[in-house]
């Protein structure tokens, strides 16, 4: 244990067996891929790779399989790195049925700003910020964004709940769209009145809306070809609302809507009150590789028997609180083998509503593994420490003999070194 090489090999053996146990738990089934990036203590960019899947008992599992140092963060390079990692663990990209990627923020920019701030006179900086904020433009933007965010607030909170009510969320999408359209069409005068009252109260100059608009980024001698009114109403007010509407339309397009409605109809809450076989069939059509023409006919028949069974006959399905509970209960009652296509749809639904919060576990643990005292760890040693640390419950289930055998199999490599 005093040899660094031996220590690293023991750590590597633990990681190898931990990942092997995770892949055995996955059992070649479909999985969702969650990816995120963050800097470690030595300013290296690390990319965490997490799998989300349904195990043989019907439980939803979220497991870290590796963390990789990356130098090139372009989309093509990241994709190649992920594909290579999947191939290394004999995972086929064709088994991916959900993916979520959240690029790292511009940490270097933020840190350079923070460093600059330390060398400046804080009082002068604060006064400069205060003066730049005391303008009609800032007041107008703040009031507008408050109105827009208030309209989408209920939708945002609904989507962030652990057990999402998808059917209700889809209704809230339509509500948000209608309210944004009303704001755009009918509430311009009301908004201007609110901003004007605020500016008068705080002694902020209100511009003449009939004058030519002059941008703060332009020379005072170069006027725009439109008025102040046009700038605030068209260039700012209408554009911001249009962007928000476009974002909702892009994120909740026809395919996404059909998919989410199908998930909502599978939800067992309130004794399967949202069940709708037509919407579920429409969801299945979005997976042509999983449901061919023959399977679609079989699925329709299975759905008809399934809903009578779980809603009207089997009382063991009367107290379920979500899709996770449904998946576990189907396995416990062995009905997943009676309705395999329905169970397959339930698993696909469980892979979709993912978030990178699970990946943040790895970055939280990263600060303990690689810290100021151990900032020069090699990438392999760092990954070998992190994976067993994060997935310690998997490591605890692995017999010591398996780890010892893996360690002994590494002996030829140590001899070569």
């Amino acid at each position: 244990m005093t040899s660094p090489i031996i220590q690293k090999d023991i750590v590597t053996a633990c990681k190898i067996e931990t990942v092997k146990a995770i892949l055995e738990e996955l059992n070649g089934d479909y999985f969702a891929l969650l990816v995120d990036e963050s800097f470690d203590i030595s300013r290296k960019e690390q990319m965490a790779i997490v799998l989300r899947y349904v195990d043989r008992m019907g439980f939803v599992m979220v497991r870290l399989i590796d963390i990789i140092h990356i130098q090139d963060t372009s989309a093509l390079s990241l994709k190649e790195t992920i594909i290579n990692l999947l191939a290394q663990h004999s995972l086929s990209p064709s088994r991916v049925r959900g993916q979520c990627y959240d690029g790292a923020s511009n940490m270097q920019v933020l840190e350079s700003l923070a460093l600059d701030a330390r060398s400046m006179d804080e009082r002068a900086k604060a006064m400069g910020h205060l003066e730049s904020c005391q303008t009609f433009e800032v007041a107008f933007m703040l009031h507008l964004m408050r109105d827009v965010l208030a309209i989408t607030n209920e939708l945002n909170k609904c989507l962030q709940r652990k057990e999402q009510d998808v059917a209700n969320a889809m209704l809230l999408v339509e509500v948000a769209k209608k309210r944004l359209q009303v704001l755009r069409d009918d509430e311009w005068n009301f908004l201007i009145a609110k901003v004007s009252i605020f500016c008068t109260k705080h002694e902020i100059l209100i511009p003449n809306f009939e004058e030519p608009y002059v941008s703060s980024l332009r020379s005072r001698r170069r006027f725009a070809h439109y008025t102040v009114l046009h700038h605030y109403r068209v260039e700012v007010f209408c554009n911001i609302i249009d962007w928000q509407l476009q974002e909702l339309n892009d994120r909740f397009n026809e395919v996404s809507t059909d998919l989410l409605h199908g998930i909502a109809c599978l939800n067992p809450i309130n004794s399967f009150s949202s069940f709708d076989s037509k919407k579920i069939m429409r969801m299945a059509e979005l997976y042509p590789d999983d449901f061919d023409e023959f399977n679609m006919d079989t699925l329709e028949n299975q759905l008809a028997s399934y809903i009578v069974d779980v809603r009207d006959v089997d009382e063991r399905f009367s107290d379920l609180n979500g899709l996770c509970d449904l998946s576990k209960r189907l396995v416990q009652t062995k009905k997943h083998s009676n309705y395999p296509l329905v169970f397959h749809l339930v698993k696909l639904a469980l892979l979709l509503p993912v978030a990178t919060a699970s990946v943040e576990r790895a970055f939280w643990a990263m600060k303990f593994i690689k810290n100021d005292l151990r900032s020069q760890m090699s990438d392999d040693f760092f990954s070998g420490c992190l994976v067993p640390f994060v997935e310690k419950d998997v490591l605890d289930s692995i017999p010591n003999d398996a780890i010892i055998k893996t360690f002994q199999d590494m002996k030829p490599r140590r001899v070569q070194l």
Side-chain angles (χ1 to χ4, degrees):
M1 287 298 295
T2 60
S3 167
I5 296 178
I6 299 296
Q7 292 176 9
K8 292 178 181 179
D9 281 351
I10 292 175
V11 166
T12 300
C14 290
K15 177 194 171 182
I16 290 173
E17 288 300 317
T18 301
V19 174
K20 186 188 298 183
I22 292 172
L23 297 180
E24 289 176 355
E25 190 177 60
L26 174 60
N27 194 32
D29 207 344
Y30 296 105
F31 59 91
L33 197 62
L34 287 74
V35 183
D36 201 358
E37 303 166 55
S38 181
F39 287 107
D40 62 26
I41 191 66
S42 60
R43 303 302 301 149
K44 282 186 173 182
E45 182 113 18
Q46 305 286 354
M47 181 170 65
I49 312 292
V50 172
L51 302 184
R52 177 185 170 108
Y53 55 91
V54 179
D55 69 5
R56 301 177 190 181
M57 300 302 296
F59 287 80
V60 179
M61 310 303 296
V62 182
R63 300 292 192 190
L64 173 73
I65 61 167
D66 215 336
I67 190 163
I68 308 169
H69 167 52
I70 51 175
Q71 295 177 331
D72 182 3
T73 58
S74 65
L76 184 61
S77 178
L78 293 176
K79 180 180 179 181
E80 183 178 351
T81 302
I82 294 171
I83 294 298
N84 290 339
L85 177 67
L86 294 179
Q88 178 184 335
H89 296 301
S90 301
L91 293 172
S92 171
S94 64
R95 309 302 288 178
V96 178
R97 285 298 182 272
Q99 49 195 324
C100 183
Y101 172 77
D102 183 13
S105 58
N106 293 324
M107 296 297 293
Q108 293 176 328
V109 176
L110 294 176
E111 289 197 2
S112 65
L113 289 175
L115 291 172
D116 291 342
R118 295 170 192 159
S119 62
M120 297 174 63
D121 179 57
E122 294 298 328
R123 183 184 296 263
K125 181 181 178 183
M127 291 301 295
H129 284 316
L130 181 61
E131 291 178 3
S132 64
C133 288
Q134 291 178 326
T135 64
F136 179 85
E137 188 152 11
V138 171
F140 179 84
M141 292 295 294
L142 289 176
H143 278 79
L144 174 58
M145 293 313 300
R146 183 182 64 178
D147 289 349
V148 171
L149 292 174
I151 288 173
T152 57
N153 181 54
E154 285 75 17
L155 173 62
N156 292 333
K157 289 193 295 185
C158 180
L159 293 175
Q160 291 172 24
R161 294 190 187 112
K162 184 176 181 181
E163 285 294 339
Q164 296 175 358
D165 184 353
V166 180
N168 192 37
M170 296 308 298
L171 292 175
L172 289 174
V173 170
E174 296 303 317
V175 170
K177 289 181 181 180
K178 289 180 183 293
R179 289 191 63 194
L180 285 170
Q181 195 63 48
V182 170
L183 174 63
R184 188 185 190 280
D185 296 340
D186 303 328
E187 298 185 11
W188 161 257
N189 291 332
F190 180 66
L191 174 63
I192 285 295
K194 284 195 303 182
V195 178
S196 299
I197 292 172
F198 176 86
C199 290
T200 301
K201 178 180 178 181
H202 296 280
E203 299 181 349
I204 297 174
L205 180 64
I206 301 175
N208 184 343
F209 286 96
E210 301 303 322
E211 291 182 351
Y213 174 73
V214 180
S215 171
S216 59
L217 302 177
R218 294 171 176 259
S219 168
R220 298 295 299 180
R221 296 181 180 179
R222 296 179 60 188
F223 295 97
H225 297 296
Y226 46 81
T227 64
V228 173
L229 176 63
H230 177 89
H231 168 73
Y232 283 108
R233 181 159 192 174
V234 178
E235 301 295 325
V236 179
F237 179 75
C238 291
N239 276 345
I240 286 178
I241 297 175
D242 289 344
W243 289 337
Q244 185 66 54
L245 286 168
Q246 186 62 47
E247 181 74 12
L248 289 173
N249 288 329
D250 289 343
R251 291 188 177 274
F252 299 95
N253 55 30
E254 183 178 355
V255 173
S256 299
T257 301
D258 289 341
L259 194 59
L260 292 173
H261 278 310
I263 294 174
C265 293
L266 286 169
N267 199 318
I269 290 179
N270 297 326
S271 299
F272 300 86
S273 59
S274 299
F275 184 85
D276 187 325
S277 61
K278 291 182 179 179
K279 292 181 179 179
I280 296 174
M281 292 294 293
R282 176 61 189 138
M283 172 187 173
E285 291 175 2
L286 301 177
Y287 293 93
D289 293 338
D290 299 270
F291 297 93
D292 56 23
E293 185 176 351
F294 174 76
N295 281 340
M296 290 295 288
D297 291 337
T298 306
L299 173 63
E300 187 173 16
N301 182 61
Q302 283 189 15
L303 284 171
S305 299
Y306 159 82
I307 191 58
V308 173
D309 189 349
V310 298
R311 184 172 61 189
D312 304 329
V313 177
D314 197 332
E315 294 182 355
R316 292 174 294 180
F317 288 82
S318 61
D319 59 344
L320 302 180
N321 294 316
L323 285 172
C324 292
D325 284 353
L326 175 61
S327 173
K328 290 182 284 187
R329 194 63 53 84
L330 285 170
V331 175
Q332 291 168 358
T333 58
K334 302 188 184 306
K335 291 188 187 296
H336 69 297
S337 58
N338 293 342
Y339 312 109
L341 295 180
V342 177
F343 183 60
H344 186 59
L345 270 179
V346 171
K347 290 196 293 183
L348 292 176
L350 286 169
L351 297 181
L352 287 172
V354 298
T356 55
S358 303
V359 188
E360 297 301 328
R361 273 197 317 156
F363 298 141
W364 172 82
M366 185 169 66
K367 299 176 182 178
F368 292 92
I369 302 297
K370 194 171 186 179
N371 51 39
D372 291 325
L373 298 178
R374 296 192 298 178
S375 60
Q376 300 302 316
M377 298 174 67
S378 67
D379 295 333
D380 290 340
F381 187 44
F382 174 50
S383 175
C385 290
L386 187 65
V387 172
F389 179 78
V390 173
E391 305 299 345
K392 54 176 66 74
D393 60 321
V394 178
L395 179 63
D396 291 341
S397 67
I398 300 172
N400 289 335
D401 291 344
I403 297 176
I404 292 172
K405 183 178 184 306
T406 300
F407 171 75
Q408 291 173 339
D409 292 342
M410 300 170 69
K411 183 177 180 180
R413 182 175 70 86
R414 292 196 296 275
V415 172
Q416 291 176 3
L417 291 175

